[in-house]
Amino acid sequence: MTTDGRTRRRADTRQRLFEAAVELIAEQGFSATTVDDIALRAGVAKGTVYYNFKSKTDLFEELLRHGIGLLTDDFRAAVKGLPPREAVAALIRSQLEYIRRYRAFAQLLLSEMWRTNREWQQTLVLLREQAIGVIAETVRAGVDSGDLPADLDVRVASSALFGVGLVVAVDWLVFTPERPLEDVEESLLAIVRRVGTTT
Amino acid sequence: MTTDGRTRRRADTRQRLFEAAVELIAEQGFSATTVDDIALRAGVAKGTVYYNFKSKTDLFEELLRHGIGLLTDDFRAAVKGLPPREAVAALIRSQLEYIRRYRAFAQLLLSEMWRTNREWQQTLVLLREQAIGVIAETVRAGVDSGDLPADLDVRVASSALFGVGLVVAVDWLVFTPERPLEDVEESLLAIVRRVGTTT
Amino acid sequence: MTTDGRTRRRADTRQRLFEAAVELIAEQGFSATTVDDIALRAGVAKGTVYYNFKSKTDLFEELLRHGIGLLTDDFRAAVKGLPPREAVAALIRSQLEYIRRYRAFAQLLLSEMWRTNREWQQTLVLLREQAIGVIAETVRAGVDSGDLPADLDVRVASSALFGVGLVVAVDWLVFTPERPLEDVEESLLAIVRRVGTTT
Amino acid sequence: MTTDGRTRRRADTRQRLFEAAVELIAEQGFSATTVDDIALRAGVAKGTVYYNFKSKTDLFEELLRHGIGLLTDDFRAAVKGLPPREAVAALIRSQLEYIRRYRAFAQLLLSEMWRTNREWQQTLVLLREQAIGVIAETVRAGVDSGDLPADLDVRVASSALFGVGLVVAVDWLVFTPERPLEDVEESLLAIVRRVGTTT
DNA sequence: CATGAATGAGGATTCATTCAT
DNA sequence: AATGAATGAATCCTCATTCAT
């Protein structure tokens, strides 16, 4: 049908724009990436970017929403039905796999997450809450079940877990991509176990 | 003497420009920060920026050099004469204190360190080597002395240590600045010890 | 019949587009009014504008033709069979009523009539001639019949009459719409009588 | 002195930009006039426009302020110390001379004054008040002195006087510039006297 | 040593127009 | 008869850089 055809065409275009934008912004940052670059890499005319998004900033915010949405979904799927101890390991694995798959998006997050005073800061903080929320639920379950120490600050620990996972994974992919994922996973697990028992 | 007066005045101006630039770039990123912004915050005329630096990029590179130079100096001072085990702890403490003091610079590093394709990438990688080099020397000494496991990948471990310290400290200062430094230090030490014994 | 249905539908659409365009152009001017705006206010898709008119300029020119055509018709109907003196009064009344009814179109005329260098200037000057022509015929009849002074410059007087009627009426509708039409009519008549006797 | 030199240079540039902008906007309207056009005609680089004005709209608003300021000054100078009857005549003469001298600005006013919904509408209405205010003072003095009928609506009469003067003068300059100013002045005076005695 | 007016290349955004459905 | 996704030229605006003072 006409409507479907049009809808699909438009959705395709948006997807292409997302992909082009993620890569470029990961490499160069938001401001250094031009709308021309994005359109060129997506293979559409510049005007098409504006037909599909209100502005460059809008495109970026939707991108953040989309990317963190996927990560949050992965997190939820990973912990589903697992006992606390295994759930934490599953989250780490899930995060690593996500970052390996969407490396550009992860780089971009790493660059923007601890900035302040950017237009999309509010959006980003909210999205961060969302992703860290899933980790926090898992950690809390661990605390409740006695698998993790009762005095653990759930918020702080979840935030740190997220951040450490992000740097370690990105550092891996950027500087020593030949290391196997399992190796990195092992290091991260060691960190978590340790943190769990001391803080 | 006149020359001295001028030299001092100029050094002052440069310092003011450094400080203004660091803060702004930490908040908004390099591209989003304008030379006008920098001059305004430093309280000088725009032309003065160009009287003191060849270009905006040049200012930024000198900034990186200056900032990482200080950090490297701190690292060296911290480990001086210490046995391996204590030296690692001293590095962590030193990094935390540095970041608490030059928080904006740390945010800026966190944002730029894992980017690719930026003009100053080469400079930054070199500077990173410099700082991580000090950590690596210490870790290697630990391996040699048997305080750290013989199969530890020194390069990887040092890089991770640097990255984890950076992200944990910045996350701390941005999201839970009320936590005492000792608390954060404790968490980082736990991580390091654990990593040391497993990887 | 199908054809009739289509024709009527099309005529409807054109009328809706005219109305939307007149209002918007009166408010903001031709250049500041976008085809998107027009389509939106008319409640049709953008493509529909181009299905019905060759271009934005074409729509505007047809609009001018249509609007001034109506005015000229009103003028002709108003003076039909009247003696010169009453005919001038009838023209004024007619112009006022027209402007009250098509206020947006009048504003638009006021804005465009004394411009130069616009694409449709030629069209507009022609249309202006047409409307002023009717006034001029009436004035000339008055001169011929001795009701108006023999040395009156018919062209100049008619042009001024038209212009003064336009500003006074629009000023009335924009700034003091509560004034009754008769009041405004009275002022205009006073002007005309006077001008008639002096120029 | 340096500061003076700079200040003067800048003021010169602004003046050149004003002159270029007035002419172009009078011919084509605000939206149809590009900043490139303005810069080109003023003989400066495009960036200079933005160094001197916040935006194209800002330039236009300052232009309106400047132009109507001059007119208001002329009005005040014209009526200074004159008895009511002569003062009105002086105002008309003053307005005509102003329009002859700044014809482009007058055309521009005629085009924008009765629009609605433009960004600078508020500014323009205020400026209009300012100019009409001087006329109103004079008219009121005439009413008070008995030179003008007691039941005259001062606001309405002043507004109409201003509008009629504007349209008659512009019509004159656009369509019959060979007519001598005195001729036009005579017509306007006739109008005013008549209006004065009837409304 | 410092200034700030001016520049122009470059980047974000708009919008009339086209065209496949 | 109508639609709306896509286009790209035109436009507004920004900003690093220069230079005369």
Coordinates of all heavy atoms in Angstrom, one line a residue, chain B residues 97-148:
Chain B
E97 N 43.8 13.1 43.6 CA 44.0 14.5 44.0 C 44.2 15.5 42.9 O 43.6 16.6 42.9 CB 45.2 14.6 45.0 CG 44.8 14.2 46.4 CD 46.0 14.0 47.3 OE1 47.2 13.9 46.8 OE2 45.8 13.8 48.5
Y98 N 44.8 15.0 41.9 CA 45.0 15.8 40.7 C 43.7 16.1 40.0 O 43.4 17.3 39.7 CB 45.9 15.1 39.7 CG 46.1 15.9 38.4 CD1 47.1 16.8 38.3 CD2 45.3 15.7 37.3 CE1 47.3 17.5 37.1 CE2 45.4 16.4 36.2 CZ 46.5 17.3 36.1 OH 46.6 18.1 34.9
I99 N 42.9 15.1 39.9 CA 41.6 15.3 39.2 C 40.7 16.2 40.1 O 39.9 17.0 39.5 CB 40.9 13.9 38.9 CG1 41.8 13.1 37.9 CG2 39.5 14.1 38.5 CD1 41.3 11.7 37.6
R100 N 40.7 16.0 41.4 CA 39.9 16.9 42.2 C 40.3 18.3 42.0 O 39.5 19.2 42.0 CB 40.0 16.5 43.7 CG 39.1 17.3 44.6 CD 39.0 16.8 46.0 NE 40.3 16.7 46.6 CZ 40.5 16.3 47.9 NH1 39.4 16.0 48.6 NH2 41.7 16.3 48.4
R101 N 41.6 18.5 41.9 CA 42.1 19.9 41.7 C 41.9 20.4 40.3 O 41.6 21.6 40.2 CB 43.6 19.8 42.0 CG 44.2 21.2 42.0 CD 45.5 21.3 42.5 NE 45.8 22.6 42.0 CZ 46.7 23.5 42.5 NH1 47.3 23.2 43.5 NH2 46.8 24.7 41.9
Y102 N 42.1 19.6 39.3 CA 42.0 20.1 38.0 C 40.8 19.3 37.3 O 41.0 18.7 36.2 CB 43.2 19.9 37.2 CG 44.4 20.6 37.7 CD1 45.5 19.9 38.3 CD2 44.5 22.0 37.7 CE1 46.6 20.6 38.9 CE2 45.6 22.7 38.2 CZ 46.6 22.0 38.8 OH 47.7 22.6 39.3
R103 N 39.7 19.4 37.9 CA 38.6 18.6 37.5 C 38.2 18.9 36.0 O 37.9 18.0 35.2 CB 37.4 19.0 38.3 CG 36.1 18.5 37.7 CD 34.9 19.1 38.6 NE 33.7 19.1 37.8 CZ 32.5 19.3 38.3 NH1 32.4 19.5 39.7 NH2 31.4 19.3 37.6
A104 N 38.2 20.2 35.6 CA 37.8 20.5 34.3 C 38.8 19.9 33.3 O 38.3 19.3 32.2 CB 37.8 22.0 34.1
F105 N 40.1 19.9 33.6 CA 41.0 19.2 32.7 C 40.8 17.7 32.6 O 40.9 17.2 31.5 CB 42.4 19.5 33.2 CG 43.5 19.0 32.2 CD1 43.7 19.6 31.0 CD2 44.2 17.8 32.5 CE1 44.7 19.1 30.1 CE2 45.2 17.3 31.6 CZ 45.4 18.0 30.5
A106 N 40.4 17.1 33.7 CA 40.1 15.7 33.7 C 38.9 15.4 32.8 O 38.9 14.4 32.0 CB 39.9 15.2 35.1
Q107 N 37.9 16.2 32.9 CA 36.7 16.0 32.1 C 37.0 16.1 30.6 O 36.5 15.3 29.8 CB 35.6 17.1 32.4 CG 34.9 16.8 33.7 CD 33.9 17.9 34.0 OE1 34.2 18.9 34.6 NE2 32.6 17.8 33.5
L108 N 37.9 17.1 30.3 CA 38.3 17.3 29.0 C 39.1 16.1 28.4 O 38.9 15.6 27.3 CB 39.2 18.5 29.0 CG 39.9 19.2 27.9 CD1 40.3 20.6 28.3 CD2 41.1 18.4 27.5
L109 N 40.0 15.5 29.3 CA 40.7 14.4 28.9 C 39.8 13.2 28.6 O 39.9 12.5 27.6 CB 41.7 13.9 30.0 CG 43.1 14.5 30.0 CD1 43.9 13.7 31.0 CD2 43.7 14.4 28.6
L110 N 38.8 13.0 29.5 CA 37.9 11.9 29.4 C 37.1 12.0 28.1 O 36.8 11.0 27.4 CB 36.9 11.9 30.6 CG 35.9 10.8 30.8 CD1 36.7 9.4 30.8 CD2 35.2 10.9 32.1
S111 N 36.8 13.2 27.7 CA 36.1 13.4 26.5 C 36.9 13.2 25.2 O 36.4 12.8 24.2 CB 35.5 14.9 26.4 OG 34.5 15.0 27.3
E112 N 38.2 13.5 25.3 CA 39.0 13.5 24.1 C 39.8 12.2 23.9 O 40.2 11.9 22.8 CB 39.9 14.7 24.0 CG 39.1 16.0 23.9 CD 38.4 16.1 22.5 OE1 38.8 15.4 21.6 OE2 37.5 16.9 22.5
M113 N 40.1 11.6 25.0 CA 41.1 10.5 25.0 C 40.8 9.3 24.1 O 41.7 8.7 23.5 CB 41.3 10.0 26.4 CG 42.5 9.1 26.6 SD 44.0 10.2 26.6 CE 44.2 10.4 28.4
W114 N 39.5 9.0 24.0 CA 39.2 7.8 23.2 C 38.5 8.2 21.9 O 37.8 7.4 21.3 CB 38.3 6.9 24.0 CG 39.1 6.2 25.1 CD1 39.9 5.1 25.0 CD2 39.3 6.7 26.5 NE1 40.5 4.9 26.2 CE2 40.2 5.8 27.1 CE3 38.8 7.8 27.2 CZ2 40.6 6.0 28.4 CZ3 39.1 8.0 28.5 CH2 40.0 7.1 29.1
R115 N 38.7 9.4 21.5 CA 38.3 9.8 20.1 C 39.3 9.4 19.1 O 40.4 9.1 19.4 CB 38.2 11.4 20.1 CG 36.9 11.9 20.8 CD 35.9 12.2 19.7 NE 34.6 12.6 20.3 CZ 34.4 13.8 20.9 NH1 35.4 14.7 20.9 NH2 33.2 14.1 21.4
T116 N 38.9 9.5 17.9 CA 39.9 9.2 16.8 C 39.7 10.4 15.8 O 38.7 11.1 15.9 CB 39.6 7.9 16.2 OG1 38.2 7.8 16.0 CG2 40.0 6.7 17.1
N117 N 40.6 10.5 14.9 CA 40.4 11.5 13.8 C 40.4 12.9 14.2 O 39.7 13.7 13.5 CB 39.1 11.2 13.1 CG 39.2 10.1 12.1 OD1 40.3 9.9 11.5 ND2 38.2 9.4 11.8
R118 N 41.0 13.3 15.3 CA 41.0 14.7 15.6 C 42.4 15.2 15.3 O 43.4 14.5 15.5 CB 40.6 14.9 17.1 CG 39.3 14.3 17.4 CD 38.4 15.3 18.1 NE 38.0 16.4 17.3 CZ 37.1 17.3 17.8 NH1 36.6 17.3 19.0 NH2 36.8 18.3 17.0
E119 N 42.5 16.5 15.1 CA 43.8 17.0 14.7 C 44.9 16.7 15.7 O 46.1 16.5 15.3 CB 43.7 18.6 14.6 CG 42.7 19.2 13.7 CD 42.7 20.7 13.9 OE1 43.7 21.4 13.7 OE2 41.6 21.1 14.4
W120 N 44.6 16.9 16.9 CA 45.6 16.7 18.0 C 45.7 15.3 18.5 O 46.4 15.0 19.5 CB 45.2 17.6 19.2 CG 43.8 17.4 19.6 CD1 43.4 16.4 20.4 CD2 42.7 18.1 19.2 NE1 42.0 16.4 20.5 CE2 41.6 17.5 19.8 CE3 42.5 19.3 18.4 CZ2 40.3 18.0 19.6 CZ3 41.2 19.7 18.2 CH2 40.1 19.1 18.8
Q121 N 45.1 14.3 17.8 CA 45.1 12.9 18.2 C 46.6 12.5 18.5 O 46.8 11.9 19.5 CB 44.5 12.1 17.1 CG 43.7 10.9 17.7 CD 42.7 11.4 18.7 OE1 42.0 12.3 18.4 NE2 42.6 10.8 19.8
Q122 N 47.4 12.8 17.6 CA 48.8 12.4 17.7 C 49.4 12.9 19.0 O 50.0 12.1 19.8 CB 49.6 12.9 16.5 CG 50.8 12.1 16.2 CD 50.6 10.6 16.3 OE1 49.5 10.1 15.8 NE2 51.5 9.8 16.9
T123 N 49.3 14.2 19.2 CA 49.8 14.8 20.4 C 49.2 14.1 21.6 O 50.0 13.8 22.6 CB 49.3 16.3 20.5 OG1 49.8 17.0 19.3 CG2 49.9 17.0 21.7
L124 N 47.9 13.9 21.6 CA 47.3 13.3 22.8 C 47.8 11.9 23.1 O 48.0 11.6 24.2 CB 45.8 13.3 22.6 CG 44.9 13.0 23.8 CD1 45.4 13.9 25.0 CD2 43.5 13.3 23.5
V125 N 47.9 11.1 22.0 CA 48.4 9.8 22.2 C 49.8 9.8 22.8 O 50.1 9.0 23.8 CB 48.4 9.0 20.9 CG1 49.2 7.7 21.0 CG2 47.0 8.7 20.4
L126 N 50.6 10.7 22.3 CA 52.0 10.8 22.9 C 51.9 11.2 24.4 O 52.7 10.6 25.2 CB 52.7 11.9 22.1 CG 53.9 11.4 21.2 CD1 53.4 10.3 20.3 CD2 54.4 12.5 20.4
L127 N 51.1 12.1 24.7 CA 51.0 12.6 26.1 C 50.5 11.5 27.0 O 50.9 11.3 28.1 CB 50.1 13.8 26.2 CG 50.7 15.1 25.5 CD1 49.7 16.2 25.4 CD2 51.9 15.6 26.4
R128 N 49.5 10.7 26.4 CA 49.0 9.6 27.2 C 50.1 8.6 27.5 O 50.2 8.1 28.6 CB 47.9 9.0 26.3 CG 47.1 7.8 26.9 CD 46.0 7.4 26.0 NE 45.4 6.2 26.5 CZ 45.8 5.0 26.3 NH1 46.9 4.7 25.6 NH2 45.2 3.9 26.8
E129 N 50.9 8.3 26.5 CA 52.0 7.4 26.7 C 52.9 7.9 27.9 O 53.3 7.1 28.7 CB 52.9 7.4 25.4 CG 52.3 6.7 24.2 CD 52.0 5.3 24.5 OE1 52.8 4.6 25.1 OE2 50.9 4.9 24.1
Q130 N 53.1 9.2 27.9 CA 53.9 9.8 28.9 C 53.4 9.5 30.3 O 54.1 8.9 31.2 CB 53.9 11.3 28.7 CG 55.1 12.0 29.2 CD 54.9 13.5 28.9 OE1 54.2 14.2 29.7 NE2 55.4 14.0 27.8
A131 N 52.1 9.8 30.5 CA 51.5 9.6 31.8 C 51.4 8.1 32.2 O 51.8 7.6 33.3 CB 50.1 10.2 31.9
I132 N 50.9 7.3 31.2 CA 50.8 5.9 31.4 C 52.2 5.2 31.6 O 52.3 4.3 32.3 CB 50.0 5.2 30.3 CG1 48.6 5.7 30.4 CG2 50.1 3.7 30.4 CD1 47.6 5.1 29.4
G133 N 53.2 5.8 31.0 CA 54.6 5.3 31.1 C 55.0 5.3 32.6 O 55.5 4.3 33.0
V134 N 54.7 6.3 33.3 CA 55.1 6.3 34.8 C 54.3 5.2 35.5 O 54.9 4.5 36.3 CB 54.7 7.7 35.4 CG1 55.2 7.7 36.8 CG2 55.3 8.8 34.6
I135 N 53.1 5.1 35.2 CA 52.3 4.0 35.8 C 53.0 2.6 35.5 O 53.2 1.8 36.3 CB 50.8 4.0 35.4 CG1 50.2 5.3 35.7 CG2 50.1 2.8 36.0 CD1 48.7 5.4 35.3
A136 N 53.3 2.5 34.2 CA 53.8 1.2 33.7 C 55.1 0.9 34.4 O 55.4 -0.3 34.8 CB 54.0 1.3 32.2
E137 N 56.0 1.9 34.6 CA 57.3 1.7 35.3 C 57.0 1.1 36.7 O 57.6 0.1 37.1 CB 58.0 3.0 35.5 CG 58.7 3.5 34.2 CD 59.2 4.9 34.3 OE1 59.4 5.4 35.5 OE2 59.3 5.6 33.3
T138 N 56.0 1.7 37.3 CA 55.7 1.2 38.7 C 55.2 -0.2 38.7 O 55.6 -1.0 39.5 CB 54.7 2.2 39.3 OG1 55.1 3.5 39.2 CG2 54.5 1.8 40.8
V139 N 54.3 -0.4 37.7 CA 53.7 -1.8 37.7 C 54.8 -2.8 37.4 O 54.8 -3.9 38.0 CB 52.6 -1.8 36.6 CG1 52.1 -3.3 36.4 CG2 51.4 -1.0 37.0
R140 N 55.6 -2.4 36.4 CA 56.7 -3.4 36.0 C 57.6 -3.7 37.2 O 57.9 -4.8 37.5 CB 57.5 -2.8 34.9 CG 58.5 -3.9 34.4 CD 59.3 -3.4 33.2 NE 58.6 -2.6 32.2 CZ 57.7 -3.1 31.3 NH1 57.6 -4.4 31.2 NH2 57.1 -2.3 30.5
A141 N 57.9 -2.7 38.0 CA 58.7 -2.9 39.2 C 58.0 -3.9 40.1 O 58.6 -4.7 40.7 CB 58.9 -1.5 39.9
G142 N 56.7 -3.7 40.2 CA 55.9 -4.6 41.1 C 56.0 -6.1 40.5 O 56.1 -7.0 41.3
V143 N 55.9 -6.2 39.2 CA 56.0 -7.5 38.7 C 57.4 -8.1 38.9 O 57.5 -9.3 39.4 CB 55.8 -7.5 37.1 CG1 56.1 -8.8 36.5 CG2 54.3 -7.1 36.8
D144 N 58.4 -7.3 38.7 CA 59.8 -7.7 38.9 C 60.0 -8.1 40.3 O 60.7 -9.1 40.6 CB 60.7 -6.6 38.5 CG 60.8 -6.4 37.0 OD1 60.2 -7.2 36.3 OD2 61.3 -5.4 36.5
S145 N 59.4 -7.4 41.2 CA 59.7 -7.7 42.7 C 58.8 -8.8 43.2 O 58.9 -9.2 44.3 CB 59.4 -6.4 43.5 OG 58.0 -6.2 43.5
G146 N 57.9 -9.3 42.3 CA 57.0 -10.4 42.7 C 55.8 -9.9 43.5 O 54.9 -10.7 43.9
D147 N 55.7 -8.6 43.6 CA 54.5 -8.1 44.3 C 53.2 -8.2 43.4 O 52.1 -8.2 43.9 CB 54.7 -6.6 44.7 CG 55.5 -6.5 45.9 OD1 55.5 -7.4 46.8 OD2 56.2 -5.4 46.1
L148 N 53.5 -8.2 42.1 CA 52.3 -8.4 41.2 C 52.6 -9.6 40.4 O 53.8 -10.0 40.1 CB 52.2 -7.1 40.3 CG 51.8 -5.9 41.0 CD1 51.9 -4.6 40.1 CD2 50.3 -6.0 41.4

